[in-house]
Amino acid sequence: MGLPLLLGLLFSQTGGLLPQSIEQPNSCITAKRLCLADPACNATYQILENCFRSYAKNSFFILDHAARNKCLQAETMIRNSHFQECRCQRRTQRQEEQCLRIYWTVHSTVSEGDFNLEKSPYKNVVSEESLKTNYNKLATQVSESHLAGDRTNPCLQVAQVCSLNRRCGRLRGMYAANCSPKDGHPCNQRKCHQELKHFFGKVDMDFTKRFLFCPCQEEFCGERRRKTIVPDCSFQNSSKPNCLVLLDTCLKDYMCKSRLADFQEQCKPSSSSSDGCFQHSHATCLEAYMGMIGTPMTPNYISNSTADVTLWCTCENSGNHKEDCEEILNSFSSNRCLRNAMQSQMGLNQVNTKDQEELQFISSPNIQGDGTSTVLTAKMYWESVKKTQPEVLMQNRQLSSHSVYSGDRFSLFTLTLTLLLLLLGSP
């Protein structure tokens, strides 16, 4: 009698020892598995797979009318089955790619000439990155070294802190190397984009956001910020393509198409909103913007002297589609939501003379690639002293509140387990 009672007490008070299921009920991967077990759904899905392959080969401007209607009918049918509201998880590497391919198979139709995609294929979940990052801890270590540094370039401090984090430093070195010319040969843009996606997808966002959106007050700092993604390889080409051609390339790549749909939803501007965003979330907008880096539609800063961003494309010779072309370009260069989100992250609205006097700076080692266009130098540390301790305290509170066991629950768990062992060990 004693053992069942103890086990009941143990599981009732601790919530059980087994972890919660990691299966995502609304995942498109799960939906496909259920669909393939249903003969009618399976047949419809096969039609849509053929549609998906056809759209991947042909421009969305040139579509066969009969085939299009067949795809539309199949898509309408299947969306009312297992795939209703199915979504994918961000930052899950191979599983993300598999899920996105399924998502676009059942959402393969695109209206002719329509730049605006229906909605993001990603689940809207609150990121837990702020609970995992050790940026503030590393920044404190750097600040305690009491080294001198240049006070005019706050962007370089992030590289110093990144170099102390194994993953950040390693992946940053990988994309810097792959985005640099080697032995007189130009860089491989495809490989460069791949490594950039790895960096922004695998490194904690507390690092990547500070990398990409560091505040600058002068051009030397702005140059470092603009060169963060090594734009000579990742952003620029010998000539600017038309933005409509760039969009067409993106829509044929389901990863780029997914990131674009996410960017359109999360960074949708609103003239009536005080924060400028329809979704009222600067954080998710910046995450969606970073998701575009490493795709054919990689954005970057326009120049060293501005925080405005753009795409590497033009609307010249767009003919009757000039308005469509400008809509694509303006979604980055004239996006109120994105601009406000970037300014908020950079702290441009809060930086004043008093704050500047409370900043600490230190020097750090140089990390350079080959050529002046790929120089990634880490020389200094920038951190607001008055914000560091409150942020660390808040993270500690968040970690405590998200712990599987609170102190009281863990104590009860230990006591119950001790009693169980004593009971089992008694003759």
Side-chain angles (χ1 to χ4, degrees):
M1 292 294 292
L3 181 59
L5 286 174
L6 283 173
L7 289 176
L9 176 64
L10 174 65
F11 282 89
S12 64
Q13 296 298 322
T14 64
L17 297 178
L18 297 176
Q20 293 182 351
S21 174
I22 60 174
E23 182 179 357
Q24 302 293 335
N26 294 329
S27 170
C28 295
I29 297 176
T30 303
K32 180 182 178 181
R33 177 175 55 80
L34 296 173
C35 177
L36 296 183
D38 181 342
C41 184
N42 187 7
T44 306
Y45 186 81
Q46 300 307 319
I47 294 175
L48 287 177
E49 279 201 319
N50 291 331
C51 297
F52 180 81
R53 285 191 287 268
S54 298
Y55 283 114
K57 293 179 181 179
N58 301 296
S59 169
F60 71 99
F61 291 113
I62 307 172
L63 301 171
D64 178 80
H65 182 72
R68 184 179 183 82
N69 285 340
K70 184 177 181 180
C71 293
L72 282 169
Q73 292 175 2
E75 187 173 311
T76 301
M77 290 176 59
I78 208 164
R79 283 200 201 181
N80 294 323
S81 62
H82 304 286
F83 294 94
Q84 189 173 19
E85 299 300 325
C86 83
R87 291 290 185 273
C88 301
Q89 192 75 32
R90 294 179 179 87
R91 300 163 69 90
T92 53
Q93 302 177 38
R94 292 182 181 178
Q95 188 179 32
E96 177 186 0
E97 295 185 12
Q98 179 187 1
C99 184
L100 290 175
R101 193 185 191 286
I102 298 171
Y103 178 89
W104 290 115
T105 297
V106 298
H107 297 80
S108 57
T109 58
V110 180
S111 299
E112 184 173 353
D114 189 7
F115 164 59
N116 297 300
L117 302 172
E118 289 187 20
K119 53 188 174 181
S120 173
Y122 293 105
K123 295 179 181 179
N124 288 324
V125 295
V126 177
S127 175
E128 298 290 332
E129 292 299 326
S130 60
L131 304 180
K132 302 175 184 177
T133 183
N134 62 349
Y135 184 93
N136 287 334
K137 179 181 178 181
L138 296 177
T140 302
Q141 293 177 10
V142 172
S143 66
E144 290 174 351
S145 63
H146 301 296
L147 299 177
D150 181 3
R151 294 179 177 236
T152 64
N153 196 337
C155 287
L156 296 180
Q157 67 85 19
V158 186
Q160 169 66 16
V161 181
C162 174
S163 65
L164 298 179
N165 178 273
R166 181 176 300 178
R167 175 177 291 184
C168 185
R170 177 176 60 83
L171 293 179
R172 176 172 174 260
M174 288 290 291
Y175 88 69
N178 283 280
C179 294
S180 303
K182 297 179 180 179
D183 302 324
H185 299 288
C187 72
N188 184 329
Q189 190 180 70
R190 183 191 63 81
K191 184 65 174 177
C192 174
H193 280 173
Q194 181 181 354
E195 295 300 334
L196 280 170
K197 282 190 289 189
H198 285 167
F199 177 79
F200 285 100
K202 295 180 180 180
V203 177
D204 289 343
M205 281 185 289
D206 202 21
F207 287 88
T208 55
K209 281 184 179 180
R210 295 174 191 254
F211 246 118
L212 204 59
F213 308 114
C214 54
C216 289
Q217 302 299 322
E218 52 87 41
E219 284 201 27
F220 182 72
C221 173
E223 180 183 16
R224 295 296 179 185
R225 180 174 62 191
R226 183 181 62 82
K227 289 183 177 180
T228 297
I229 65 170
V230 198
D232 281 3
C233 182
S234 66
F235 177 66
Q236 301 170 198
N237 285 308
S238 56
S239 61
K240 286 187 177 182
N242 188 281
C243 296
L244 293 169
V245 175
L246 192 66
L247 173 64
D248 192 26
T249 303
C250 181
L251 294 180
K252 291 179 180 178
D253 179 339
Y254 62 86
M255 181 64 76
C256 182
K257 185 178 181 179
S258 301
R259 301 296 177 86
L260 178 60
D262 193 45
F263 173 77
Q264 288 179 350
E265 180 173 307
Q266 305 303 338
C267 295
K268 183 178 179 180
S270 171
S271 59
S272 60
S273 173
S274 60
D275 60 13
C277 298
F278 185 82
Q279 298 290 349
H280 304 291
S281 176
H282 286 167
T284 55
C285 176
L286 293 181
E287 182 178 358
Y289 173 87
M290 290 190 294
M292 294 300 300
I293 297 175
T295 72
M297 293 185 71
T298 294
N300 197 31
Y301 293 98
I302 294 176
S303 69
N304 301 336
S305 58
T306 179
D308 295 334
V309 297
T310 190
L311 296 171
W312 184 259
C313 63
T314 179
C315 287
E316 294 181 2
N317 303 318
S318 297
N320 296 331
H321 296 285
K322 187 173 182 179
E323 289 186 6
D324 297 328
C325 181
E326 290 177 344
E327 183 182 7
I328 299 168
L329 190 58
N330 291 338
S331 66
F332 288 87
S333 61
S334 301
N335 187 319
R336 181 171 180 253
C337 175
L338 176 61
R339 182 169 56 250
N340 289 354
M342 291 174 64
Q343 288 179 351
S344 177
Q345 177 65 30
M346 291 177 186
L348 295 180
N349 295 330
Q350 290 76 33
V351 171
N352 53 43
T353 304
K354 181 179 178 181
D355 292 332
Q356 298 258 345
E357 292 174 352
E358 295 183 7
L359 300 179
Q360 291 186 349
F361 302 82
I362 74 157
S363 63
S364 68
N366 290 342
I367 302 177
Q368 297 183 335
D370 297 328
T372 57
S373 65
T374 59
V375 176
L376 294 172
T377 310
K379 287 186 177 178
M380 56 178 280
Y381 171 78
W382 177 87
E383 185 67 25
S384 177
V385 178
K386 66 180 182 180
K387 291 184 180 179
T388 299
Q389 295 303 324
E391 286 178 356
V392 173
L393 179 60
M394 180 60 70
Q395 285 191 351
N396 290 338
R397 289 175 178 172
Q398 289 176 325
L399 284 169
S400 298
S401 65
H402 284 76
S403 176
V404 177
Y405 301 107
S406 65
D408 293 339
R409 181 176 293 182
F410 187 76
S411 299
L412 180 59
F413 169 79
T414 305
L415 177 61
T416 306
L417 185 59
T418 302
L419 292 173
L420 177 60
L421 291 174
L422 290 173
L423 180 62
L424 293 177
S426 60

